[in-house]
Amino acid sequence: MSPQPLISCEHCASVFRRHELQPGETASCARCGTVLWRYSRLNLSAWLALALAALIVFIAANAYPVISMSVQGMTSRASLLDAVGMTWQQGYAAAAIMTGLAGFALPLLQLCVLLWVLVPLAHGREPRGLRPAMRLLGLLRPWCMVPVFLLGVVVSVVKLAGMAAVKPDVGLYAFGALTVLLTILDRLSPHAIWRYAEENGVAPVHVPLRQPGQVLTGCHVCGQVQALPAHDEGATHHCVRCDAVVHYRKPNSLGRTWALLLAAAVLYVPANVLPIMHIRSVFFGDSGHTILGGVVDLWRTGSWDIALIVFVASIVVPLTKILALGALAIALQRRSRFNLRQRTRMYEMIEFIGQWSMLDVFVVILLSALAHFGALMEISAGPAAGAFGMVVILTMLAAMSFDPRQAWDLESQDDAAAPRAGRRDAAPRPRAAPQEH
């Protein structure tokens, strides 16, 4: 009988035995409520077909324009790469690099890594370089922002509708299909791929035995649970399966979180005060638009729904991330043990909304590529575009640096200090299978 693998909750460090789920079941952490894994009807061959389809659609989406714009008999068409190139030519290298990586280079690399791994796995073979490929995939996933770009195209169409004749092009429909495929593929995390490798006999199942003086912790790359010395938290250890560096807790988590948050808060001011976009037109004159000014313009033209989306994504979301992460960091510094489940849900929310603040940067570069008619009309990025993109990156890095497991460690310390009757050990240990919903 093969041993049951262990799984560690990434948010509270509880360790469970992983068992096979039935259709419709979801396994959740009994301690903090985090979803640990879900039942999936897709096998490796199905995932491979989805990844291959996504790559084909990706090529089509970037080979064709997403929008065409006509002014005074002149027509302009722009793809994502056209927009990135135009922003670079206008001298805003930071915005061009950020959007080029998030919308094109990193999603393409993610699909190539998935195909590199899935083709051999679907045929029952271990891929070459499986371990570094999975580490790379884990790094890429948070930074691929194709859905954000798609929403940026929709906002751009609404913004330009009052200035010129605008119509969607082939690339827009391809990006819509690509967004659907990438959303499905997002369920195929490195942890899930390693589970498929175990089930197919490509990767061995390693079940550690916790000895006295050791604690169990999960690898952040592959999810492999392993035993580490309990009183040697500063030492460097490597995962027994993927060879990634494993820490019992993220080193200097609070210090790095505060540094990144403060940097994001400083840049948030010029990102909202300086113009994010300049418009030069013989019809509308020369004007600079801030993020909030763009929201007001959309509201005045009757596009209140798009105005609300831009306001939430560009104003509310980054400010919420800064304030919420600051609140979590303060609670941890004060060693607060209250509302741990609610704080875990807040952290999950911060992780989920992280990339959507890049919306306005995508809108600006797309408008710059489309509205380029010489003296007749020209739209260019403003200094706030680079600053706002850096706010998004810094807040995402701050969320990645924060370690919610430390708050749950305080509860475990209380349990260890209390009488043993009715209490659990401070060190995580293998438990029964989690609750199913």
Side-chain angles (χ1 to χ4, degrees), residues 62 70 103 126-128 157 175 242 247 276 280 312 365 368 389:
N62 288 278
S70 300
E126 179 178 348
R128 291 184 179 181
V157 170
F175 266 109
C242 72
H247 297 285
I276 196 171
R280 300 177 184 87
V312 171
I365 67 161
S368 301

Side-chain angles (χ1 to χ4, degrees), residues 205-270:
V205 177
H206 176 74
V207 181
L209 296 176
R210 184 169 66 92
Q211 303 297 330
Q214 291 184 330
V215 291
L216 296 178
T217 189
C219 173
H220 70 284
V221 174
C222 70
Q224 173 65 58
V225 176
Q226 44 216 301
L228 299 180
H231 305 292
D232 195 15
E233 298 180 7
T236 299
H237 303 277
H238 290 269
C239 177
V240 297
R241 180 163 66 181
C242 72
D243 200 40
V245 176
V246 177
H247 297 285
Y248 174 64
R249 295 293 181 263
K250 296 177 183 177
N252 195 23
S253 171
L254 270 178
R256 289 187 293 124
T257 300
W258 275 121
L260 292 165
L261 275 182
L262 290 175
V266 170
L267 287 173
Y268 185 76
V269 176

Side-chain angles (χ1 to χ4, degrees), residues 69-364:
M69 174 180 175
S70 300
V71 176
Q72 297 286 306
M74 295 183 293
T75 301
S76 174
R77 293 181 175 85
S79 64
L80 171 59
L81 294 179
D82 294 332
V84 172
M86 181 59 66
T87 307
W88 180 276
Q89 291 176 14
Q90 292 171 349
Y92 295 97
I97 292 172
M98 285 185 287
T99 51
L101 287 174
F104 179 81
L106 298 184
L108 176 60
L109 184 56
Q110 179 187 12
L111 289 173
C112 291
V113 172
L114 277 175
L115 288 171
W116 177 269
V117 170
L118 290 176
V119 170
L121 281 179
H123 292 85
R125 303 191 309 271
E126 179 178 348
R128 291 184 179 181
L130 175 62
R131 290 156 183 81
M134 288 297 95
R135 293 200 293 271
L136 178 60
L137 182 61
L139 292 173
L140 292 174
R141 292 175 74 239
W143 304 102
C144 298
M145 304 183 185
V146 170
V148 184
F149 173 71
L150 178 64
L151 183 58
V153 175
V154 176
V155 174
S156 301
V157 170
V158 176
K159 278 180 173 286
L160 292 172
M163 302 180 185
V166 183
K167 66 177 183 179
D169 221 317
V170 177
L172 178 59
Y173 302 108
F175 266 109
L178 180 61
T179 298
V180 174
L181 291 171
L182 289 180
T183 302
I184 298 173
L185 285 170
D186 194 55
R187 299 282 293 271
L188 193 62
S189 65
H191 293 198
I193 293 176
W194 278 108
R195 288 200 292 270
Y196 279 114
E198 286 179 346
E199 293 170 0
N200 287 14
V202 174
V205 177
H206 176 74
V207 181
L209 296 176
R210 184 169 66 92
Q211 303 297 330
Q214 291 184 330
V215 291
L216 296 178
T217 189
C219 173
H220 70 284
V221 174
C222 70
Q224 173 65 58
V225 176
Q226 44 216 301
L228 299 180
H231 305 292
D232 195 15
E233 298 180 7
T236 299
H237 303 277
H238 290 269
C239 177
V240 297
R241 180 163 66 181
C242 72
D243 200 40
V245 176
V246 177
H247 297 285
Y248 174 64
R249 295 293 181 263
K250 296 177 183 177
N252 195 23
S253 171
L254 270 178
R256 289 187 293 124
T257 300
W258 275 121
L260 292 165
L261 275 182
L262 290 175
V266 170
L267 287 173
Y268 185 76
V269 176
N272 286 275
V273 172
L274 297 176
I276 196 171
M277 179 175 62
H278 292 289
I279 300 179
R280 300 177 184 87
S281 171
V282 295
F283 304 107
F284 304 99
D286 295 351
S287 60
H289 292 256
T290 62
I291 295 175
L292 189 57
V295 173
V296 173
D297 289 342
L298 285 170
W299 189 277
R300 286 175 176 172
T301 57
S303 302
W304 61 267
D305 47 353
I306 301 297
L308 185 60
I309 291 174
V310 175
F311 178 76
V312 171
S314 301
I315 304 293
V316 176
V317 168
L319 186 60
T320 299
K321 287 192 295 183
I322 293 173
L323 295 178
L325 266 177
L328 290 176
I330 291 172
L332 183 57
Q333 281 184 321
R334 292 183 174 180
R335 304 180 66 82
S336 172
R337 297 158 177 82
F338 296 106
N339 297 325
L340 288 177
R341 276 204 168 211
Q342 288 78 3
R343 283 155 58 182
T344 302
R345 300 289 81 76
M346 182 187 293
Y347 180 72
E348 289 179 334
M349 181 268 295
I350 293 170
E351 286 186 308
F352 175 75
I353 66 176
Q355 60 178 234
W356 288 97
S357 302
M358 193 65 81
L359 172 65
D360 248 327
V361 183
F362 279 117
V363 170
V364 168

